[in-house]
């Protein structure tokens, strides 16, 4: 199975700054939060967003991911 691209999940460029990543994460997590979004996949999408953000916000994890 192919690994998911965290940049695509958050909708940011690979060269995005930490603030751009944070803005994109906050916007998407607000949109897909299970309390707001009634989709069946809301929990899964929120979990995916959290995993992507937690990897890309930490400079060491991001360097390892890249």
């Amino acid at each position: 199975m192919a690994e998911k691209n965290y940049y695509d999940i958050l909708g940011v460029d690979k060269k995005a700054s930490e603030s751009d990543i944070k803005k994109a994460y906050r916007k998407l997590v607000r949109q897909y939060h299970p309390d707001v979004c009634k989709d069946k996949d809301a929990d899964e999408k929120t979990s995916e967003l959290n995993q992507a953000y937690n990897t890309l916000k930490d400079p060491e994890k991001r360097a390892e991911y890249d």
Side-chain angles (χ1 to χ4, degrees):
M1 184 163 99
E3 185 176 322
K4 295 178 182 177
N5 185 332
Y6 292 153
Y7 295 102
D8 289 343
I9 291 170
L10 293 176
V12 295
D13 187 52
K14 193 170 185 173
K15 296 177 184 176
S17 68
E18 287 183 42
S19 65
D20 290 339
I21 291 171
K22 188 174 187 176
K23 286 177 192 175
Y25 167 74
R26 287 184 171 183
K27 178 183 175 188
L28 290 170
V29 83
R30 194 175 313 126
Q31 178 181 349
Y32 290 107
H33 193 279
D35 290 344
V36 177
C37 183
K38 301 304 178 195
D39 289 344
K40 297 177 230 170
D41 299 335
D43 284 330
E44 183 179 323
K45 182 69 175 174
T46 302
S47 175
E48 196 174 71
L49 289 167
N50 287 330
Q51 184 178 12
Y53 178 67
N54 286 330
T55 300
L56 297 180
K57 75 175 182 176
D58 183 351
E60 290 178 16
K61 288 182 184 179
R62 185 175 181 181
E64 188 176 312
Y65 174 74
D66 288 339

